[in-house]
Amino acid sequence: MSAIRVGELIRTKKVIVCCGAGGVGKTTTAAALSLAGARAGRRVLVLTIDPSRRLAETLGVSRNPPDPVRIPKERSDAAGITTGSLDAWMLDIKLVSDAAVRRLVKSEADAQRILTNRIYQQVSTMVAGMHEYTAMEALHRLVHAGTYDLVVLDTPPSRNALDFLEAPRRLSGLVDSRAISAFLPRSDGIVARAASRVIEKILGAVFGEEFAHEFVTFLSTFTSIFQSLNVDVSDMRRLLSGDDVAFLLVSSPAPAALTEASFFHDKTRELSLPFRAFVLNRSHANDAGRPMPTLPASAPEEVRTALPKLLSLAQLEQTAAVRDATLLGELRKRAGTGATAIALPDLPQGADDIATLITVADTLTAA
Amino acid sequence: MARSSDRVGSDFSREAALDELVNKRVVLITGKGGVGRSVMTAALAKLAAKRGRRVLVTEVGDEGDDYSPLARHWNRERLPKMPEALEPNIHGAVLLARTGQELFLKSVLRSGTLARAAVGSDALRRLLSAGPSFREMGVFFQLLTALREKTGTEPTHELILIDMPATGHTLSLTGLPELLLKLVPGGPIAAALKEGQGYLNDPKQAAAWIVTLPETLPVSECLELIDGLGKTKMPVGGLVVNRMPADPFTPAERAAMGPLIEQHAWLGRELFKKPLVAHRELARLRANTRLPMFVTPELPHEGLIAALATVLDGASPLPVPTGGG
């Protein structure tokens, strides 16, 4: 039996990162984790950049607010939150990056000049990795601000569970001044200038002279803005490698999701990230104890004809329960001593009401 | 019990819809994660190949990918960077930003030295890996290259099937031409974008097919995706509602059994209720869109691709459903 308990993580950690392939129930798990934390009396923030609005609707907060939003009192009361609190923030990349511009420049006029720039308007949402980068930057800022006891991060959907860790590196590659300087006319040194001329020529041929010129101007004007967003990647790694952090990997029992889970697990070890639990979602592992259907005395004809059919469905569920329990055992073994594996039930209706979310939260707390 | 052909064929002609699909130049298979997108891509590739089309099956990949969900179906770890034969009539390739960017630079920078300098430039590579939409542009250009490729006078790849990434990434790819043309109205990028638009926005040549499940969230996201694709001018060909559970009970049996199911925590309860949710969600889809719709049953993992292709083809009735026994 492993020493790690998910309920304990919810009560003690400062950051819980939920990772997983798309469609495994990552956002629901993140919401339930944060609810469990708030019910345990902690000040919790759930941070997501999931473009779907379901989570926002369940929690009763508006979509894409510029700052974290406290969930409405009646939801909070309904959710059994007393001494704790629950805020939610669905990050909107454009809003967050606009806010960064406003923080950085002195006058509103300057801010407006930047915010209305044609290239800025496109670039702020189009730059690869901007989503992931924005989430990391926000996480970093919020953890250091000390407003919350626990921040739960729902990582962006992507094919690779750890893409969000690599994306900021891609972006920081761009804002890294050494890379930028190659494109800027003011580069010093003969070699640098020669390189810069070649690049200008290439950009001109590729984009057309006009856009290439505009783009280079844009880069030189806004480098400082990008750099303000530039949380040092190594600093971020340090934050995420700390004892206060737990990485959870959400998976479904589907073979493809499990394959991804193994890759993820290997990668967290490679990067020395504090992996703490597999969450086997949509699982029947906890169903094994339920009874088989039985025929009540004096059952009507329809029940008599339906029972064999129900029994064959029950057999299937039992098979699934055994299969998922075996899977869970394998994941536990894979997790080793520093981590664990837990099961969450299948919810085909979705967890879009607060009562269902509370049930999931309680399962997590007890796990 | 309803045979699949009854359900599927009721409000549109299966044969006409399949014919439409396999005779396109490019079909994007899209939908939320976990709905069976890559499985469906593989099944459609086999189906089109069986009908004599020369198919190129692709997915949008990343340099750092550890595995490919699509390549698995041909017992490979990854798909090759350039099209290679996977089986008769089916080639496969992964669409990578970098491959496409290199192809583009080489086609634009006629001078070999400049092209080599461009491809070899560390600063340019960083810019291209992070710059605005440059990754999507790379993928887009690689797709365009595959569309242009000819053997004699005929297209080398008659039908290109793409297993698309998650919803957001799909829309950033289909919305790319319009977005980027605002920024770069002239020059070689604009020319490539317009040529690509010529294929992608033409309902005769291109379609997106959305794979979804008969469950609450996937159906909501599917309806949003139909809207989103429309906004990017991508024609939507139809829907595949995957993993439809079979319902072995008669209405009278359901009515009699319902209260007992509510009282007892019996095993079998979830599967008893599942078809109810599925039918409600299928009805919601039908009420909100008139797109052609295939409904495919829940099938065992073993032999899934072949079974799906058979079901889509209408060649066999619904296989014995889960629990229908």
Side-chain angles (χ1 to χ4, degrees), chain B residues 17-322:
Chain B
L18 267 188
D19 220 50
E20 280 265 298
L21 196 157
V22 302
N23 284 304
K24 296 271 188 282
R25 286 301 319 279
V26 53
V27 173
L28 317 183
I29 311 297
T30 176
K32 161 183 174 61
V35 297
R37 224 173 28 216
S38 67
V39 165
M40 210 56 78
T41 307
L44 286 169
K46 301 216 177 212
L47 199 150
K50 207 181 100 193
R51 294 179 171 217
R53 299 281 285 168
R54 290 187 303 274
V55 182
L56 175 65
V57 59
T58 65
E59 66 189 339
V60 179
D62 194 277
E63 307 278 329
D65 283 345
D66 293 308
Y67 75 105
S68 147
L70 190 58
R72 236 168 14 113
H73 303 306
W74 284 275
N75 296 319
R76 287 172 174 242
E77 290 255 305
R78 287 177 201 85
L79 290 175
K81 286 188 183 178
M82 290 298 168
E84 268 175 35
L86 299 175
E87 64 175 277
N89 271 352
I90 302 183
H91 279 64
V94 58
L95 301 179
L96 284 177
R98 175 116 173 244
T99 313
Q101 288 166 353
E102 289 186 10
L103 285 169
F104 184 73
L105 288 172
K106 280 180 193 149
S107 83
V108 171
L109 308 167
R110 300 268 152 72
S111 133
T113 328
L114 208 52
R116 267 193 300 279
V119 171
S121 157
D122 190 41
L124 193 66
R125 193 174 315 131
R126 285 188 195 211
L127 178 78
L128 290 175
S129 74
S133 291
F134 293 165
R135 294 179 61 80
E136 282 89 348
M137 183 64 211
V139 169
F140 192 89
F141 193 76
Q142 201 187 347
L143 171 63
L144 186 60
T145 308
L147 278 164
R148 283 171 176 166
E149 210 178 307
K150 291 228 160 113
T151 309
T153 55
E154 290 294 303
T156 308
H157 313 290
E158 291 174 307
L159 169 66
I160 302 178
L161 283 168
I162 315 176
D163 179 5
M164 294 296 282
T167 307
H169 294 283
T170 295
L171 293 177
S172 60
L173 195 68
T174 58
L176 180 75
E178 207 174 346
L179 202 69
L180 217 49
L181 280 170
K182 275 191 226 151
L183 275 178
V184 197
I189 286 196
L193 288 168
K194 283 176 192 158
E195 188 185 343
Q197 262 184 329
Y199 288 107
L200 285 180
N201 295 355
D202 175 5
K204 287 205 187 72
Q205 303 197 70
W209 274 75
I210 304 173
V211 186
T212 186
L213 301 179
E215 292 172 20
T216 315
L217 234 82
V219 165
S220 298
E221 293 207 12
C222 171
L223 291 170
E224 281 171 22
L225 185 54
I226 295 173
D227 280 350
L229 286 167
K231 280 185 191 134
T232 62
K233 303 207 174 76
M234 182 72 213
V236 182
L239 313 175
V240 182
V241 183
N242 195 17
R243 286 187 225 139
M244 185 70 192
D247 187 356
F249 298 98
T250 64
E253 287 170 349
R254 280 209 165 269
M257 208 41 133
L260 290 170
I261 290 283
E262 288 307 320
Q263 281 165 31
H264 303 278
W266 287 337
L267 278 164
R269 183 168 69 175
E270 302 309 319
L271 288 174
F272 179 85
K273 288 182 175 173
K274 211 172 171 186
L276 297 178
V277 177
H279 281 284
R280 187 193 69 207
E281 292 305 317
L282 195 60
R284 187 156 70 97
L285 263 186
R286 289 223 160 101
N288 285 288
T289 168
R290 302 189 58 81
L291 288 166
M293 201 182 291
F294 286 103
V295 181
T296 51
E298 229 162 354
L299 293 164
H301 286 297
E302 209 62 40
L304 178 59
I305 304 292
L308 263 181
T310 313
V311 172
L312 287 167
D313 211 7
S316 83
L318 192 66
V320 178
T322 9

Side-chain angles (χ1 to χ4, degrees), chain A residues 162 247 263-275:
Chain A
L162 281 187
F247 275 73
F263 278 116
F264 170 85
H265 186 228
D266 292 343
K267 218 153 183 177
T268 51
R269 275 199 296 212
E270 225 172 81
L271 299 171
S272 316
L273 294 170
F275 172 78

Side-chain angles (χ1 to χ4, degrees), chain A residues 258 278 323-335 341:
Chain A
L258 286 166
F278 288 110
R323 179 203 65 191
D324 289 353
T326 310
L327 263 179
L328 191 63
E330 283 164 12
L331 287 178
R332 246 176 221 149
K333 208 181 283 168
R334 195 177 215 285

Side-chain angles (χ1 to χ4, degrees), chain A residues 35-231:
Chain A
L35 188 60
R39 279 162 65 84
R42 307 190 78 197
R43 294 170 302 161
V44 184
L45 172 74
V46 56
L47 188 64
T48 178
I49 59 174
D50 185 342
S52 88
R53 59 176 169 268
R54 245 74 52 188
L55 176 64
E57 278 167 3
T58 306
L59 296 175
V61 297
S62 69
R63 197 177 183 178
N64 299 331
D67 294 296
V69 175
R70 177 68 42 93
I71 69 165
K73 187 164 185 329
E74 75 273 11
R75 294 289 165 110
S76 173
D77 291 347
I81 299 169
T82 50
T83 56
S85 65
L86 177 54
D87 289 8
W89 195 12
M90 284 90 210
L91 283 179
D92 180 294
I93 304 313
K94 183 95 181 71
L95 284 175
V96 172
S97 114
D98 288 359
V101 169
R102 289 215 166 83
R103 265 205 311 278
L104 197 86
V105 294
K106 313 245 161 6
S107 74
E108 179 60 24
D110 279 352
Q112 278 309 317
R113 193 172 47 79
I114 294 168
L115 296 177
T116 54
N117 176 283
R118 195 167 66 113
I119 295 186
Y120 169 79
Q121 284 178 348
Q122 305 295 339
V123 164
S124 62
T125 52
M126 281 157 55
V127 169
M130 197 67 177
H131 281 66
E132 292 83 356
Y133 198 77
T134 312
M136 294 294 262
E137 196 260 351
L139 179 68
H140 193 261
R141 193 151 42 80
L142 289 162
V143 167
H144 284 288
T147 325
Y148 298 103
D149 302 323
L150 168 66
V151 179
V152 179
L153 175 70
D154 171 29
T155 58
S158 77
R159 213 175 98 199
N160 296 311
L162 281 187
D163 208 29
F164 80 100
L165 280 179
E166 301 301 328
R169 205 209 288 278
R170 275 211 295 269
L171 190 62
S172 74
L174 176 67
V175 302
D176 179 333
S177 51
R178 273 163 305 172
I180 290 276
S181 65
F183 300 94
L184 302 183
R186 61 163 181 262
S187 291
D188 299 323
I190 297 166
V191 179
R193 252 199 300 270
S196 159
R197 265 200 302 278
V198 171
I199 283 170
E200 241 181 78
K201 218 165 157 183
I202 293 168
L203 284 180
V206 171
F207 293 104
E209 297 295 337
E210 193 200 347
F211 178 78
H213 179 74
E214 221 178 315
F215 187 60
V216 168
T217 312
F218 164 78
L219 278 182
S220 56
T221 315
F222 300 123
T223 301
S224 61
I225 303 283
F226 275 128
Q227 275 166 347
S228 83
L229 288 174
N230 185 13
V231 177

